[in-house]
Amino acid sequence: MYALASTCYPNTVIAVGVPHVPSDLLEYLTLGRERITDQDPEYAIRQLSEVAARALSPGTNDPVTTMDILDRFGDALCALQDRWWPSGVHADESDKVRLVRPTVDFDGVAHTMFEMVRQYGSSSPEVTLHLLKVLQITATCLRSEESLQVLREHVQAAYHDAHKALTNPRDLHRLERAYHGALRAMETGLPK
């Protein structure tokens, strides 16, 4: 069995083999100075997430760009609609584990999409409300309880952060409505 690293830095271990790494392993790997989106989908998501977070900086102050990116994220999750996510464990014909490799999963993708936007956008009512709306609509596309639980956690975190950051009664009322609407959609599968 051998395991591969997902991110490598100069002079770091990229694979560990038991009892040894196959001698031709490097023929099957792509090594380079830059990560590429073809082999690392989370990298492309991270790039968009960084654009969304930077758009919220005081010097830029462009929440519309952030909301557009959130819409793209929701669209992508609905397009993936409860797809099967590989475990990264590969076995031979006798079910003996031969390879363990890093994989992308729904939780990691959702985290990469929404975490920075939530953190940087919590004091912006429109960004938080839009994030909750995207999570609500996305919930109507999904059927997997595991995926819905991941979205619930993002809804809870967005609500918690915004509730602490917002002071205007109107914004807080809109936040409450969006929060409860998102949770209902995750329970019923229907937008409210």
Side-chain angles (χ1 to χ4, degrees):
M1 173 183 79
Y2 59 99
L4 301 175
S6 62
T7 302
C8 301
Y9 304 111
N11 303 314
T12 59
V13 175
I14 62 167
V16 176
V18 177
H20 59 80
V21 175
S23 60
D24 62 346
L25 177 65
L26 288 177
E27 293 177 30
Y28 301 99
L29 299 177
T30 301
L31 300 177
R33 294 190 176 276
E34 300 289 326
R35 295 170 76 174
I36 56 175
T37 57
D38 289 352
Q39 294 181 359
D40 188 357
E42 275 187 277
Y43 178 61
I45 296 166
R46 186 173 298 111
Q47 287 178 314
L48 273 177
S49 185
E50 288 174 11
V51 169
R54 286 183 188 138
L56 295 171
S57 71
T60 306
N61 194 21
D62 182 13
V64 173
T65 293
T66 300
M67 292 187 291
D68 287 344
I69 291 171
L70 286 171
D71 285 334
R72 288 177 187 234
F73 289 160
D75 180 62
L77 290 179
C78 284
L80 293 172
Q81 192 180 45
D82 293 326
R83 79 179 289 258
W84 174 80
W85 298 87
S87 69
V89 177
H90 300 273
D92 63 15
E93 302 81 31
S94 64
D95 285 335
K96 184 172 181 177
V97 175
R98 290 300 193 191
L99 172 66
V100 178
R101 64 180 178 83
T103 61
V104 175
D105 63 8
F106 184 86
D107 187 31
V109 166
H111 177 86
T112 304
M113 287 177 169
F114 302 123
E115 202 71 12
M116 276 200 309
V117 173
R118 172 187 59 81
Q119 292 167 347
Y120 288 97
S122 64
S123 62
S124 170
E126 289 307 313
V127 169
T128 298
L129 293 171
H130 198 75
L131 171 59
L132 291 172
K133 176 184 165 192
V134 167
L135 292 169
Q136 175 183 348
I137 293 169
T138 302
T140 66
C141 300
L142 304 176
R143 290 165 192 78
S144 158
E145 183 53 39
E146 294 82 17
S147 298
L148 290 171
Q149 182 56 36
V150 167
L151 293 188
R152 271 187 213 98
E153 291 168 8
H154 286 282
V155 166
Q156 296 284 351
Y159 173 78
H160 177 76
D161 287 355
H163 198 271
K164 286 184 357 184
L166 302 179
T167 57
N168 183 292
R170 183 172 188 270
D171 293 337
L172 287 168
H173 176 71
R174 292 172 65 209
L175 174 67
E176 290 290 331
R177 286 181 51 212
Y179 169 68
H180 291 293
L183 290 180
R184 276 193 306 276
M186 289 172 195
E187 297 304 321
T188 64
L190 300 171
K192 302 285 181 192

PDB file of all heavy atoms in Angstrom, residues 79-109:
ATOM      1  N   ALA A  79     -25.430  21.389  -9.695  1.00  0.00           N
ATOM      2  CA  ALA A  79     -25.022  20.568 -10.842  1.00  0.00           C
ATOM      3  C   ALA A  79     -24.409  19.248 -10.377  1.00  0.00           C
ATOM      4  O   ALA A  79     -24.577  18.216 -11.031  1.00  0.00           O
ATOM      5  CB  ALA A  79     -24.033  21.336 -11.716  1.00  0.00           C
ATOM      6  N   LEU A  80     -23.722  19.276  -9.237  1.00  0.00           N
ATOM      7  CA  LEU A  80     -23.124  18.041  -8.701  1.00  0.00           C
ATOM      8  C   LEU A  80     -24.173  17.151  -8.051  1.00  0.00           C
ATOM      9  O   LEU A  80     -23.961  15.955  -7.888  1.00  0.00           O
ATOM     10  CB  LEU A  80     -22.038  18.381  -7.670  1.00  0.00           C
ATOM     11  CG  LEU A  80     -20.797  19.060  -8.227  1.00  0.00           C
ATOM     12  CD1 LEU A  80     -19.893  19.511  -7.092  1.00  0.00           C
ATOM     13  CD2 LEU A  80     -20.052  18.124  -9.159  1.00  0.00           C
ATOM     14  N   GLN A  81     -25.273  17.700  -7.658  1.00  0.00           N
ATOM     15  CA  GLN A  81     -26.437  17.055  -7.057  1.00  0.00           C
ATOM     16  C   GLN A  81     -26.188  15.652  -6.516  1.00  0.00           C
ATOM     17  O   GLN A  81     -26.449  14.644  -7.164  1.00  0.00           O
ATOM     18  CB  GLN A  81     -27.587  17.023  -8.052  1.00  0.00           C
ATOM     19  CG  GLN A  81     -28.893  16.634  -7.429  1.00  0.00           C
ATOM     20  CD  GLN A  81     -30.002  16.612  -8.427  1.00  0.00           C
ATOM     21  OE1 GLN A  81     -29.840  16.082  -9.530  1.00  0.00           O
ATOM     22  NE2 GLN A  81     -31.131  17.172  -8.068  1.00  0.00           N
ATOM     23  N   ASP A  82     -25.691  15.604  -5.310  1.00  0.00           N
ATOM     24  CA  ASP A  82     -25.509  14.344  -4.598  1.00  0.00           C
ATOM     25  C   ASP A  82     -24.670  13.326  -5.365  1.00  0.00           C
ATOM     26  O   ASP A  82     -24.926  12.127  -5.338  1.00  0.00           O
ATOM     27  CB  ASP A  82     -26.857  13.726  -4.224  1.00  0.00           C
ATOM     28  CG  ASP A  82     -27.596  14.563  -3.204  1.00  0.00           C
ATOM     29  OD1 ASP A  82     -26.932  15.170  -2.350  1.00  0.00           O
ATOM     30  OD2 ASP A  82     -28.829  14.603  -3.266  1.00  0.00           O
ATOM     31  N   ARG A  83     -23.665  13.796  -6.056  1.00  0.00           N
ATOM     32  CA  ARG A  83     -22.786  12.874  -6.770  1.00  0.00           C
ATOM     33  C   ARG A  83     -22.054  12.006  -5.766  1.00  0.00           C
ATOM     34  O   ARG A  83     -21.950  12.322  -4.594  1.00  0.00           O
ATOM     35  CB  ARG A  83     -21.806  13.641  -7.650  1.00  0.00           C
ATOM     36  CG  ARG A  83     -20.635  14.231  -6.867  1.00  0.00           C
ATOM     37  CD  ARG A  83     -19.653  14.962  -7.731  1.00  0.00           C
ATOM     38  NE  ARG A  83     -18.874  14.127  -8.567  1.00  0.00           N
ATOM     39  CZ  ARG A  83     -17.621  13.785  -8.335  1.00  0.00           C
ATOM     40  NH1 ARG A  83     -17.012  14.206  -7.272  1.00  0.00           N
ATOM     41  NH2 ARG A  83     -16.963  13.029  -9.165  1.00  0.00           N
ATOM     42  N   TRP A  84     -21.533  10.911  -6.252  1.00  0.00           N
ATOM     43  CA  TRP A  84     -20.726  10.024  -5.434  1.00  0.00           C
ATOM     44  C   TRP A  84     -19.332  10.624  -5.332  1.00  0.00           C
ATOM     45  O   TRP A  84     -18.739  11.026  -6.322  1.00  0.00           O
ATOM     46  CB  TRP A  84     -20.673   8.633  -6.082  1.00  0.00           C
ATOM     47  CG  TRP A  84     -19.749   7.707  -5.383  1.00  0.00           C
ATOM     48  CD1 TRP A  84     -20.010   7.014  -4.236  1.00  0.00           C
ATOM     49  CD2 TRP A  84     -18.418   7.374  -5.769  1.00  0.00           C
ATOM     50  NE1 TRP A  84     -18.920   6.269  -3.889  1.00  0.00           N
ATOM     51  CE2 TRP A  84     -17.920   6.477  -4.815  1.00  0.00           C
ATOM     52  CE3 TRP A  84     -17.592   7.757  -6.813  1.00  0.00           C
ATOM     53  CZ2 TRP A  84     -16.642   5.948  -4.882  1.00  0.00           C
ATOM     54  CZ3 TRP A  84     -16.323   7.231  -6.877  1.00  0.00           C
ATOM     55  CH2 TRP A  84     -15.870   6.333  -5.919  1.00  0.00           C
ATOM     56  N   TRP A  85     -18.816  10.711  -4.125  1.00  0.00           N
ATOM     57  CA  TRP A  85     -17.480  11.259  -3.891  1.00  0.00           C
ATOM     58  C   TRP A  85     -16.547  10.097  -3.572  1.00  0.00           C
ATOM     59  O   TRP A  85     -16.817   9.309  -2.672  1.00  0.00           O
ATOM     60  CB  TRP A  85     -17.509  12.255  -2.729  1.00  0.00           C
ATOM     61  CG  TRP A  85     -18.385  13.427  -2.995  1.00  0.00           C
ATOM     62  CD1 TRP A  85     -19.731  13.516  -2.752  1.00  0.00           C
ATOM     63  CD2 TRP A  85     -18.008  14.668  -3.600  1.00  0.00           C
ATOM     64  NE1 TRP A  85     -20.205  14.747  -3.158  1.00  0.00           N
ATOM     65  CE2 TRP A  85     -19.170  15.472  -3.676  1.00  0.00           C
ATOM     66  CE3 TRP A  85     -16.807  15.180  -4.074  1.00  0.00           C
ATOM     67  CZ2 TRP A  85     -19.156  16.755  -4.203  1.00  0.00           C
ATOM     68  CZ3 TRP A  85     -16.799  16.465  -4.588  1.00  0.00           C
ATOM     69  CH2 TRP A  85     -17.964  17.234  -4.657  1.00  0.00           C
ATOM     70  N   PRO A  86     -15.458   9.966  -4.291  1.00  0.00           N
ATOM     71  CA  PRO A  86     -14.558   8.834  -4.064  1.00  0.00           C
ATOM     72  C   PRO A  86     -13.900   8.902  -2.689  1.00  0.00           C
ATOM     73  O   PRO A  86     -13.654   9.988  -2.164  1.00  0.00           O
ATOM     74  CB  PRO A  86     -13.514   8.974  -5.179  1.00  0.00           C
ATOM     75  CG  PRO A  86     -13.565  10.401  -5.584  1.00  0.00           C
ATOM     76  CD  PRO A  86     -14.963  10.874  -5.326  1.00  0.00           C
ATOM     77  N   SER A  87     -13.626   7.741  -2.131  1.00  0.00           N
ATOM     78  CA  SER A  87     -13.012   7.678  -0.799  1.00  0.00           C
ATOM     79  C   SER A  87     -11.506   7.880  -0.850  1.00  0.00           C
ATOM     80  O   SER A  87     -10.893   8.210   0.154  1.00  0.00           O
ATOM     81  CB  SER A  87     -13.311   6.330  -0.145  1.00  0.00           C
ATOM     82  OG  SER A  87     -12.604   5.303  -0.826  1.00  0.00           O
ATOM     83  N   GLY A  88     -10.919   7.623  -2.005  1.00  0.00           N
ATOM     84  CA  GLY A  88      -9.465   7.726  -2.118  1.00  0.00           C
ATOM     85  C   GLY A  88      -8.751   6.446  -1.755  1.00  0.00           C
ATOM     86  O   GLY A  88      -7.530   6.363  -1.831  1.00  0.00           O
ATOM     87  N   VAL A  89      -9.494   5.431  -1.355  1.00  0.00           N
ATOM     88  CA  VAL A  89      -8.903   4.139  -1.001  1.00  0.00           C
ATOM     89  C   VAL A  89      -9.112   3.190  -2.175  1.00  0.00           C
ATOM     90  O   VAL A  89     -10.235   2.989  -2.627  1.00  0.00           O
ATOM     91  CB  VAL A  89      -9.548   3.564   0.284  1.00  0.00           C
ATOM     92  CG1 VAL A  89      -8.984   2.194   0.600  1.00  0.00           C
ATOM     93  CG2 VAL A  89      -9.349   4.516   1.451  1.00  0.00           C
ATOM     94  N   HIS A  90      -8.019   2.637  -2.665  1.00  0.00           N
ATOM     95  CA  HIS A  90      -8.078   1.715  -3.804  1.00  0.00           C
ATOM     96  C   HIS A  90      -7.533   0.371  -3.365  1.00  0.00           C
ATOM     97  O   HIS A  90      -6.461   0.284  -2.771  1.00  0.00           O
ATOM     98  CB  HIS A  90      -7.248   2.254  -4.976  1.00  0.00           C
ATOM     99  CG  HIS A  90      -7.725   3.590  -5.448  1.00  0.00           C
ATOM    100  ND1 HIS A  90      -8.718   3.730  -6.380  1.00  0.00           N
ATOM    101  CD2 HIS A  90      -7.362   4.851  -5.096  1.00  0.00           C
ATOM    102  CE1 HIS A  90      -8.937   5.007  -6.590  1.00  0.00           C
ATOM    103  NE2 HIS A  90      -8.126   5.709  -5.819  1.00  0.00           N
ATOM    104  N   ALA A  91      -8.290  -0.678  -3.669  1.00  0.00           N
ATOM    105  CA  ALA A  91      -7.902  -2.034  -3.286  1.00  0.00           C
ATOM    106  C   ALA A  91      -7.698  -2.877  -4.534  1.00  0.00           C
ATOM    107  O   ALA A  91      -8.188  -2.554  -5.620  1.00  0.00           O
ATOM    108  CB  ALA A  91      -8.979  -2.651  -2.405  1.00  0.00           C
ATOM    109  N   ASP A  92      -6.971  -3.970  -4.370  1.00  0.00           N
ATOM    110  CA  ASP A  92      -6.794  -4.901  -5.484  1.00  0.00           C
ATOM    111  C   ASP A  92      -7.948  -5.895  -5.497  1.00  0.00           C
ATOM    112  O   ASP A  92      -8.922  -5.754  -4.750  1.00  0.00           O
ATOM    113  CB  ASP A  92      -5.424  -5.585  -5.407  1.00  0.00           C
ATOM    114  CG  ASP A  92      -5.255  -6.437  -4.157  1.00  0.00           C
ATOM    115  OD1 ASP A  92      -6.265  -6.742  -3.474  1.00  0.00           O
ATOM    116  OD2 ASP A  92      -4.108  -6.807  -3.852  1.00  0.00           O
ATOM    117  N   GLU A  93      -7.843  -6.913  -6.347  1.00  0.00           N
ATOM    118  CA  GLU A  93      -8.915  -7.897  -6.510  1.00  0.00           C
ATOM    119  C   GLU A  93      -9.247  -8.635  -5.217  1.00  0.00           C
ATOM    120  O   GLU A  93     -10.375  -9.081  -5.014  1.00  0.00           O
ATOM    121  CB  GLU A  93      -8.546  -8.924  -7.591  1.00  0.00           C
ATOM    122  CG  GLU A  93      -8.259  -8.335  -8.946  1.00  0.00           C
ATOM    123  CD  GLU A  93      -6.837  -7.781  -9.041  1.00  0.00           C
ATOM    124  OE1 GLU A  93      -5.903  -8.287  -8.393  1.00  0.00           O
ATOM    125  OE2 GLU A  93      -6.673  -6.787  -9.779  1.00  0.00           O
ATOM    126  N   SER A  94      -8.284  -8.762  -4.317  1.00  0.00           N
ATOM    127  CA  SER A  94      -8.517  -9.478  -3.065  1.00  0.00           C
ATOM    128  C   SER A  94      -8.910  -8.525  -1.928  1.00  0.00           C
ATOM    129  O   SER A  94      -8.878  -8.909  -0.766  1.00  0.00           O
ATOM    130  CB  SER A  94      -7.273 -10.266  -2.666  1.00  0.00           C
ATOM    131  OG  SER A  94      -6.209  -9.377  -2.395  1.00  0.00           O
ATOM    132  N   ASP A  95      -9.279  -7.305  -2.277  1.00  0.00           N
ATOM    133  CA  ASP A  95      -9.685  -6.270  -1.326  1.00  0.00           C
ATOM    134  C   ASP A  95      -8.559  -5.826  -0.395  1.00  0.00           C
ATOM    135  O   ASP A  95      -8.806  -5.247   0.653  1.00  0.00           O
ATOM    136  CB  ASP A  95     -10.895  -6.707  -0.492  1.00  0.00           C
ATOM    137  CG  ASP A  95     -12.175  -6.650  -1.292  1.00  0.00           C
ATOM    138  OD1 ASP A  95     -12.232  -5.869  -2.265  1.00  0.00           O
ATOM    139  OD2 ASP A  95     -13.122  -7.376  -0.945  1.00  0.00           O
ATOM    140  N   LYS A  96      -7.331  -6.057  -0.807  1.00  0.00           N
ATOM    141  CA  LYS A  96      -6.205  -5.557  -0.037  1.00  0.00           C
ATOM    142  C   LYS A  96      -5.940  -4.116  -0.475  1.00  0.00           C
ATOM    143  O   LYS A  96      -5.819  -3.831  -1.670  1.00  0.00           O
ATOM    144  CB  LYS A  96      -4.961  -6.414  -0.269  1.00  0.00           C
ATOM    145  CG  LYS A  96      -3.793  -5.995   0.579  1.00  0.00           C
ATOM    146  CD  LYS A  96      -2.646  -6.959   0.467  1.00  0.00           C
ATOM    147  CE  LYS A  96      -1.525  -6.482   1.364  1.00  0.00           C
ATOM    148  NZ  LYS A  96      -0.397  -7.402   1.359  1.00  0.00           N
ATOM    149  N   VAL A  97      -5.867  -3.201   0.486  1.00  0.00           N
ATOM    150  CA  VAL A  97      -5.666  -1.792   0.176  1.00  0.00           C
ATOM    151  C   VAL A  97      -4.302  -1.613  -0.468  1.00  0.00           C
ATOM    152  O   VAL A  97      -3.288  -2.058   0.050  1.00  0.00           O
ATOM    153  CB  VAL A  97      -5.792  -0.923   1.446  1.00  0.00           C
ATOM    154  CG1 VAL A  97      -5.453   0.527   1.153  1.00  0.00           C
ATOM    155  CG2 VAL A  97      -7.200  -1.031   2.013  1.00  0.00           C
ATOM    156  N   ARG A  98      -4.294  -0.952  -1.625  1.00  0.00           N
ATOM    157  CA  ARG A  98      -3.059  -0.744  -2.374  1.00  0.00           C
ATOM    158  C   ARG A  98      -2.679   0.725  -2.495  1.00  0.00           C
ATOM    159  O   ARG A  98      -1.519   1.046  -2.690  1.00  0.00           O
ATOM    160  CB  ARG A  98      -3.180  -1.344  -3.778  1.00  0.00           C
ATOM    161  CG  ARG A  98      -3.204  -2.835  -3.775  1.00  0.00           C
ATOM    162  CD  ARG A  98      -1.940  -3.311  -3.176  1.00  0.00           C
ATOM    163  NE  ARG A  98      -1.729  -4.720  -3.382  1.00  0.00           N
ATOM    164  CZ  ARG A  98      -0.790  -5.404  -2.775  1.00  0.00           C
ATOM    165  NH1 ARG A  98       0.017  -4.811  -1.933  1.00  0.00           N
ATOM    166  NH2 ARG A  98      -0.644  -6.667  -3.003  1.00  0.00           N
ATOM    167  N   LEU A  99      -3.662   1.626  -2.432  1.00  0.00           N
ATOM    168  CA  LEU A  99      -3.379   3.036  -2.593  1.00  0.00           C
ATOM    169  C   LEU A  99      -4.384   3.843  -1.791  1.00  0.00           C
ATOM    170  O   LEU A  99      -5.577   3.575  -1.822  1.00  0.00           O
ATOM    171  CB  LEU A  99      -3.479   3.440  -4.077  1.00  0.00           C
ATOM    172  CG  LEU A  99      -3.405   4.927  -4.399  1.00  0.00           C
ATOM    173  CD1 LEU A  99      -2.030   5.499  -4.065  1.00  0.00           C
ATOM    174  CD2 LEU A  99      -3.733   5.164  -5.860  1.00  0.00           C
ATOM    175  N   VAL A 100      -3.874   4.828  -1.062  1.00  0.00           N
ATOM    176  CA  VAL A 100      -4.711   5.803  -0.379  1.00  0.00           C
ATOM    177  C   VAL A 100      -4.266   7.161  -0.893  1.00  0.00           C
ATOM    178  O   VAL A 100      -3.095   7.508  -0.792  1.00  0.00           O
ATOM    179  CB  VAL A 100      -4.544   5.734   1.152  1.00  0.00           C
ATOM    180  CG1 VAL A 100      -5.401   6.791   1.827  1.00  0.00           C
ATOM    181  CG2 VAL A 100      -4.880   4.346   1.676  1.00  0.00           C
ATOM    182  N   ARG A 101      -5.203   7.875  -1.497  1.00  0.00           N
ATOM    183  CA  ARG A 101      -4.830   9.171  -2.065  1.00  0.00           C
ATOM    184  C   ARG A 101      -5.807  10.234  -1.576  1.00  0.00           C
ATOM    185  O   ARG A 101      -6.945   9.935  -1.234  1.00  0.00           O
ATOM    186  CB  ARG A 101      -4.812   9.119  -3.588  1.00  0.00           C
ATOM    187  CG  ARG A 101      -6.137   8.850  -4.222  1.00  0.00           C
ATOM    188  CD  ARG A 101      -6.037   8.821  -5.743  1.00  0.00           C
ATOM    189  NE  ARG A 101      -7.312   8.509  -6.321  1.00  0.00           N
ATOM    190  CZ  ARG A 101      -8.281   9.391  -6.548  1.00  0.00           C
ATOM    191  NH1 ARG A 101      -8.100  10.642  -6.254  1.00  0.00           N
ATOM    192  NH2 ARG A 101      -9.427   9.011  -7.064  1.00  0.00           N
ATOM    193  N   PRO A 102      -5.339  11.472  -1.518  1.00  0.00           N
ATOM    194  CA  PRO A 102      -6.234  12.559  -1.098  1.00  0.00           C
ATOM    195  C   PRO A 102      -7.388  12.716  -2.081  1.00  0.00           C
ATOM    196  O   PRO A 102      -7.218  12.518  -3.277  1.00  0.00           O
ATOM    197  CB  PRO A 102      -5.337  13.797  -1.130  1.00  0.00           C
ATOM    198  CG  PRO A 102      -3.948  13.301  -1.284  1.00  0.00           C
ATOM    199  CD  PRO A 102      -4.009  11.932  -1.852  1.00  0.00           C
ATOM    200  N   THR A 103      -8.542  13.042  -1.565  1.00  0.00           N
ATOM    201  CA  THR A 103      -9.703  13.226  -2.427  1.00  0.00           C
ATOM    202  C   THR A 103     -10.429  14.516  -2.070  1.00  0.00           C
ATOM    203  O   THR A 103     -10.195  15.119  -1.029  1.00  0.00           O
ATOM    204  CB  THR A 103     -10.706  12.065  -2.274  1.00  0.00           C
ATOM    205  OG1 THR A 103     -11.154  12.024  -0.919  1.00  0.00           O
ATOM    206  CG2 THR A 103     -10.095  10.742  -2.660  1.00  0.00           C
ATOM    207  N   VAL A 104     -11.318  14.890  -2.941  1.00  0.00           N
ATOM    208  CA  VAL A 104     -12.210  16.014  -2.726  1.00  0.00           C
ATOM    209  C   VAL A 104     -13.544  15.427  -2.282  1.00  0.00           C
ATOM    210  O   VAL A 104     -14.000  14.427  -2.826  1.00  0.00           O
ATOM    211  CB  VAL A 104     -12.381  16.806  -4.042  1.00  0.00           C
ATOM    212  CG1 VAL A 104     -13.401  17.906  -3.890  1.00  0.00           C
ATOM    213  CG2 VAL A 104     -11.046  17.353  -4.509  1.00  0.00           C
ATOM    214  N   ASP A 105     -14.174  16.045  -1.282  1.00  0.00           N
ATOM    215  CA  ASP A 105     -15.502  15.599  -0.875  1.00  0.00           C
ATOM    216  C   ASP A 105     -16.422  16.810  -0.739  1.00  0.00           C
ATOM    217  O   ASP A 105     -15.989  17.953  -0.820  1.00  0.00           O
ATOM    218  CB  ASP A 105     -15.457  14.768   0.409  1.00  0.00           C
ATOM    219  CG  ASP A 105     -14.953  15.542   1.620  1.00  0.00           C
ATOM    220  OD1 ASP A 105     -14.758  16.772   1.532  1.00  0.00           O
ATOM    221  OD2 ASP A 105     -14.745  14.913   2.664  1.00  0.00           O
ATOM    222  N   PHE A 106     -17.698  16.543  -0.535  1.00  0.00           N
ATOM    223  CA  PHE A 106     -18.690  17.622  -0.474  1.00  0.00           C
ATOM    224  C   PHE A 106     -18.374  18.594   0.650  1.00  0.00           C
ATOM    225  O   PHE A 106     -18.450  19.815   0.474  1.00  0.00           O
ATOM    226  CB  PHE A 106     -20.103  17.045  -0.288  1.00  0.00           C
ATOM    227  CG  PHE A 106     -21.167  18.100  -0.309  1.00  0.00           C
ATOM    228  CD1 PHE A 106     -21.704  18.526  -1.509  1.00  0.00           C
ATOM    229  CD2 PHE A 106     -21.624  18.676   0.862  1.00  0.00           C
ATOM    230  CE1 PHE A 106     -22.676  19.516  -1.547  1.00  0.00           C
ATOM    231  CE2 PHE A 106     -22.589  19.670   0.836  1.00  0.00           C
ATOM    232  CZ  PHE A 106     -23.120  20.086  -0.365  1.00  0.00           C
ATOM    233  N   ASP A 107     -18.017  18.090   1.810  1.00  0.00           N
ATOM    234  CA  ASP A 107     -17.702  18.939   2.951  1.00  0.00           C
ATOM    235  C   ASP A 107     -16.542  19.885   2.626  1.00  0.00           C
ATOM    236  O   ASP A 107     -16.607  21.088   2.895  1.00  0.00           O
ATOM    237  CB  ASP A 107     -17.377  18.071   4.165  1.00  0.00           C
ATOM    238  CG  ASP A 107     -17.192  18.884   5.433  1.00  0.00           C
ATOM    239  OD1 ASP A 107     -17.825  19.948   5.572  1.00  0.00           O
ATOM    240  OD2 ASP A 107     -16.416  18.444   6.297  1.00  0.00           O
ATOM    241  N   GLY A 108     -15.484  19.349   2.013  1.00  0.00           N
ATOM    242  CA  GLY A 108     -14.333  20.175   1.663  1.00  0.00           C
ATOM    243  C   GLY A 108     -14.670  21.219   0.614  1.00  0.00           C
ATOM    244  O   GLY A 108     -14.229  22.377   0.702  1.00  0.00           O
ATOM    245  N   VAL A 109     -15.461  20.837  -0.375  1.00  0.00           N
ATOM    246  CA  VAL A 109     -15.860  21.770  -1.421  1.00  0.00           C
ATOM    247  C   VAL A 109     -16.707  22.894  -0.821  1.00  0.00           C
ATOM    248  O   VAL A 109     -16.467  24.078  -1.069  1.00  0.00           O
ATOM    249  CB  VAL A 109     -16.617  21.044  -2.551  1.00  0.00           C
ATOM    250  CG1 VAL A 109     -17.334  22.012  -3.463  1.00  0.00           C
ATOM    251  CG2 VAL A 109     -15.654  20.177  -3.348  1.00  0.00           C
TER     252      VAL A 109
END
